Amino acid sequence: QAQLVESGGGLVQAGDSLRLSCAASGGTFSMYAMGWFRQAPGKEREFVAAISWIARSTSYADSVKGRFTISRDGAKNTLYLQMNNLKPEDTAVYYCAASRFREVSDDSDKYPYWGQGTQVTVSS
């Protein structure tokens, strides 16, 4: 059974850094693109970043470009999101997602597998 488990969230101050991890199991996730999405209270889930199946290409939301970096370790079946210079507006539940396509996409409908989410709270 396919499973994605996020970790690494927490409470930090503005300007701090966090690294989220997503451990994937029960599926051939290394053959597909993966991504991070987030949902803030009272808002819809939004795209954060995505990485293609062999990490040849990445895509980022404009709001996180230059601050966040997505990466993956195929040997460990793990997806990462390095978040630097965090801002209060980055506060959200962050979700890891696995696609059924090899190339990046910001469309959540292309990601059938989702983790349970990890909370990131950034205080000002």
Side-chain angles (χ1 to χ4, degrees):
Q1 183 176 352
Q3 188 174 23
L4 302 174
V5 179
E6 302 97 334
S7 61
L11 172 63
V12 297
Q13 293 186 330
D16 285 351
S17 298
L18 276 177
R19 188 176 82 154
L20 304 183
S21 299
C22 172
S25 62
T28 54
F29 296 110
S30 61
M31 297 180 64
Y32 300 100
M34 296 189 73
W36 289 97
F37 292 75
R38 67 186 182 187
Q39 187 168 19
K43 295 187 177 181
E44 294 188 352
R45 188 174 298 185
E46 66 174 2
F47 169 75
V48 176
I51 188 166
S52 63
W53 72 296
I54 51 174
R56 184 169 295 171
S57 62
T58 57
S59 177
Y60 296 92
D62 288 343
S63 59
V64 306
K65 277 182 183 176
R67 299 188 299 122
F68 290 12
T69 302
I70 188 171
S71 62
R72 67 191 301 170
D73 185 332
K76 296 181 179 180
N77 270 342
T78 302
L79 178 72
Y80 302 100
L81 184 67
Q82 178 66 43
M83 306 185 293
N84 298 329
N85 189 22
L86 282 161
K87 304 176 180 181
E89 51 263 44
D90 294 319
T91 295
V93 177
Y94 283 72
Y95 297 90
C96 167
S99 174
R100 273 303 184 192
F101 300 89
R102 294 192 172 185
E103 296 307 320
V104 298
S105 173
D106 62 1
D107 183 356
S108 61
D109 288 340
K110 292 187 177 180
Y111 296 81
Y113 303 105
W114 293 80
Q116 82 290 347
T118 185
Q119 177 70 47
V120 172
T121 303
V122 185
S123 63
S124 57

